[in-house]
């Protein structure tokens, strides 16, 4: 019998797990994928939104602003990449100025600090590649960019070292009421728990509707992106937004924390909750819309495209509460954008709700800090040489584009909740995220995975399950 079972190891579930680890509780996270950060948390704009556009008085607005404020300290505590680069919402038509003003007022009411309107001249000085049509912009100095994998993995790793159990490749199929709480029926056995936290992303409505008559609908709202090479990373230095509309924040152009340029997303409601494919039509829309605010976006430098699914709840609000009709069942649902930004605050809110139910003691052994993977490419030559003398694997470059060493990949595999697949290594180290998109390093990373996990090369997968990369090996042919 667990005290708490959390469905989903995305950024929401992982943030909840980490905050709940501050208490003496027996906690388990169940995740249908092979790793953390396999759902929406791995495919988004990676912006720490300032919080000016969420509706005044909404939970979304409150948690966005709180999460944004927490992000800087958290990034130091858990060692993931975060830069407060600021953001600009660009207005290209005089008649839209009143919308910009309304956004400013909404942001001030939401408690966003430092907001102001900048006029064209100042805007051009800030961002020389801004569109010739731009008349003014809303500047939010608290806006930021972060590594979404880094945040999600750091939260989960820290929860794990503080005693939270993670069950991967475990899909929750059904939820049943028991005398002491709930039974989770999974494809990997049944588990009993006093409290359930429903952090299942686009599938959170399915679990909510199993225990409640007050039905919820979550629609998958797809967003397509282009990711550009680092040669394009300085095209803008702040995150450039369009004025938001009923479909959200529109197409943005932004640097990433790793020095690339990200352009997107679209917003298209689809029926398939697994539909993370990009489409020609949506990518063309990205091309057209990105040119409205930023000129000469160097789209010839595209290195990859991808799509993510927003868990769009019809009322466009976060649903975080214990259901009165299902005591011990806590929804963490409808976590669409700004869910990444809000995640630290979401974790705190869910921990408050759960500790209110179970009244646990504090965990005196909780360790809040965590050190990420050592990065030789960020060291001075002297430091790097010292490291290589001690650990020669840090002198063996595996991914040439991102300059990732064997030492980093070994660390990614060996650390708590370590990588088990090519994508797991990629999200932890960036091996395969560069210009050649893993063309060169895949076989070399596979060899390391095979060696470290004591599995045959033919068993190494891209992302768990049946996603094996090769059929048979030389050994089989002999
Ligand atoms: C296009 C796009 C752009 C975005 N941009 C931003 C942004 O710039 N800034 C920002 O703050 N937010 C942004 N977001 C929102 C943010 O990415 C999400 O709010 C956040 O990642 C949601 O995290 P989650 O943990 O709730 O969901 P997920 O990351 O989807 O995690 C849910 C997990 O539950 C698991 N699961 C589902 N069903 C089951 C089951 N039956 N059994 C076991 N496990 C299950 C899934 O495998 C998954 O790992 C964006 C989203 C999209 C799609």
């Amino acid at each position: 019998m667990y005290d708490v079972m959390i469905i989903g190891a995305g950024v929401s579930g992982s943030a909840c797990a980490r905050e709940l680890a501050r208490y003496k509780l027996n906690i388990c996270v169940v995740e249908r994928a092979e790793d953390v950060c396999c759902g929406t948390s791995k495919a988004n704009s990676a912006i720490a939104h300032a919080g000016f556009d969420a509706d005044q008085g909404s939970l979304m607005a409150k948690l966005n602003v709180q999460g944004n404020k927490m992000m800087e300290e958290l990034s130091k505590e858990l060692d993931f990449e975060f830069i407060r680069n600021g953001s600009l919402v660009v207005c290209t038509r005089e008649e839209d100025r009143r919308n910009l003003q309304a956004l400013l007022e909404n942001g001030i009411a939401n408690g966003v600090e430092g907001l102001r309107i900048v006029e064209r001249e100042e805007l051009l000085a800030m961002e020389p590649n801004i569109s010739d049509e731009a008349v003014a912009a809303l500047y939010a100095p608290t806006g930021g960019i972060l590594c979404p994998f880094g945040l999600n993995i750091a939260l989960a790793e820290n929860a794990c070292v503080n005693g939270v159990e993670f069950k991967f490749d475990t899909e929750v199929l059904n939820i049943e009421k028991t005398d002491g709480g709930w039974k989770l029926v999974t494809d990997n056995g049944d588990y009993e728990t006093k409290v359930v936290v429903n952090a299942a992303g686009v599938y959170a409505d399915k679990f909510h509707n199993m225990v409640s008559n007050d039905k919820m609908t979550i629609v998958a709202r797809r967003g397509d992106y282009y990711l550009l090479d680092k040669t394009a990373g300085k095209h803008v230095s702040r995150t450039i937004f369009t004025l938001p509309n009923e479909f959200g924040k529109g197409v943005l152009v932004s640097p990433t924390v790793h020095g690339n340029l990200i352009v997107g997303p679209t917003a298209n409601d689809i029926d398939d909750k697994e539909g993370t494919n990009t489409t020609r039509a949506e990518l063309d829309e990205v091309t057209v819309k990105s040119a409205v605010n930023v000129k000469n976006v160097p789209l010839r430098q595209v290195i990859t495209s991808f799509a993510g699914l927003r868990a769009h709840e019809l009322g466009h609000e976060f649903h975080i509460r214990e259901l009165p009709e299902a005591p011990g069942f806590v929804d963490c649902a409808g976590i669409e954008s700004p869910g990444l930004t809000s995640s630290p605050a979401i974790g705190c809110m869910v921990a408050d709700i759960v500790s209110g139910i179970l009244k646990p003691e504090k965990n005196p052994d909780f360790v809040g800090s965590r050190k990420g993977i050592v990065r030789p490419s960020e060291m001075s030559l002297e430091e790097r040489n010292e490291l290589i003398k001690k650990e020669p694997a840090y002198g063996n470059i595996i991914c040439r584009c991102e300059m990732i060493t064997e030492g980093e990949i070994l660390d990614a595999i060996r650390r708590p909740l370590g990588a088990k697949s090519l994508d797991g290594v990629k999200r932890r180290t960036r091996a395969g995220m560069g210009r050649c998109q893993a063309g060169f390093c895949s076989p070399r990373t596979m060899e390391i995975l095979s060696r470290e996990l004591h599995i045959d090369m033919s068993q190494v997968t891209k992302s768990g399950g049946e996603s094996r990369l090769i059929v048979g090996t030389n050994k089989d042919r002999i």
Side-chain angles (χ1 to χ4, degrees), residues 162-177:
N162 282 295
V164 174
E165 193 182 326
F166 283 75
K167 286 184 195 299
F168 294 110
D169 294 312
T170 303
E171 179 165 6
V172 179
L173 304 172
N174 205 2
I175 302 183
E176 293 167 12
K177 186 83 195 90

Side-chain angles (χ1 to χ4, degrees), residues 39 87 90 100 130 144 157 173 175 178 182 234 399 421 454:
S87 66
V90 177
L100 207 61
I130 217 74
E157 256 184 46
L173 304 172
I175 302 183
T178 62
W182 300 94
K234 293 194 168 46
C399 168
S421 66
H454 309 291

Side-chain angles (χ1 to χ4, degrees), residues 447-458:
E447 275 167 17
I448 300 172
L449 278 162
S450 160
R451 201 176 68 214
E452 282 294 306
L453 301 177
H454 309 291
I455 53 175
D456 190 76
M457 279 285 271
S458 61

Side-chain angles (χ1 to χ4, degrees), residues 137-283:
L138 175 64
Y139 176 47
T142 59
I145 48 180
L146 56 91
C147 174
F149 325 111
L151 167 62
N152 195 156
I153 290 166
L155 288 165
E157 256 184 46
N158 190 238
C160 173
V161 297
N162 282 295
V164 174
E165 193 182 326
F166 283 75
K167 286 184 195 299
F168 294 110
D169 294 312
T170 303
E171 179 165 6
V172 179
L173 304 172
N174 205 2
I175 302 183
E176 293 167 12
K177 186 83 195 90
T178 62
D179 287 344
W182 300 94
K183 180 160 90 178
L184 298 196
V185 179
T186 81
D187 60 357
N188 195 14
D190 298 350
Y191 302 96
E192 296 220 17
T193 178
K194 293 177 191 156
V195 170
V196 175
V197 175
N198 172 21
V202 285
Y203 292 102
D205 55 346
K206 176 172 143 187
F207 298 116
H208 169 99
N209 294 339
M210 280 178 190
V211 303
S212 173
N213 288 326
D214 184 10
K215 299 300 177 198
M216 174 190 285
T217 304
I218 289 180
V219 175
R221 180 167 282 181
R222 184 171 59 204
D224 284 24
Y225 291 92
Y226 279 131
L227 187 73
L228 276 61
D229 186 59
K230 289 181 179 173
T231 50
K234 293 194 168 46
H235 198 70
V236 294
S237 54
R238 293 164 192 82
T239 303
I240 311 295
F241 292 108
T242 20
L243 272 166
N245 62 21
E246 72 273 23
F247 276 103
K249 301 174 186 72
V251 168
L252 60 83
V253 179
S254 178
T256 72
V257 280
H258 301 114
N260 299 80
L261 193 76
I262 188 164
V263 186
T266 48
N268 186 18
D269 291 350
I270 57 169
D271 294 331
D272 181 6
K273 290 190 173 183
E274 302 293 318
T276 51
N277 57 296
T278 56
T279 65
R280 182 70 266 157
E282 283 188 60
L283 288 173

Side-chain angles (χ1 to χ4, degrees), residues 39-99:
T40 301
S41 301
K42 74 167 179 178
N44 49 62
S45 311
I47 308 299
H49 291 291
F52 45 77
D53 59 339
D55 286 347
Q56 254 176 67
S58 64
L59 184 60
M60 207 178 245
K62 183 178 149 194
L63 298 183
N64 182 348
V65 175
Q66 268 179 21
N68 178 296
K69 280 190 182 148
M70 292 166 78
M71 203 58 85
E72 195 154 345
E73 204 180 318
L74 190 69
S75 71
K76 291 181 187 136
E77 213 177 353
L78 294 182
D79 199 11
F80 63 88
E81 287 124 326
F82 168 71
I83 302 170
R84 216 176 267 295
N85 66 325
S87 66
L88 290 159
V89 181
V90 177
C91 173
T92 51
R93 300 185 317 171
E94 280 299 338
E95 58 266 39
D96 285 339
R97 264 184 188 272
R98 61 178 186 281
N99 297 340

Side-chain angles (χ1 to χ4, degrees), residues 7-13 30-32 39-41 43-47 49 170-172 199-201 203 207 223 225 265 308-310 335-341:
I7 310 174
V11 76
S12 304
V30 268
E31 169 57 57
R32 68 179 187 146
T40 301
S41 301
N44 49 62
S45 311
I47 308 299
H49 291 291
T170 303
E171 179 165 6
V172 179
Y203 292 102
F207 298 116
Y225 291 92
L309 303 178
R310 303 169 185 87
I335 312 298
E336 60 181 308
S337 186
L340 201 63
T341 317

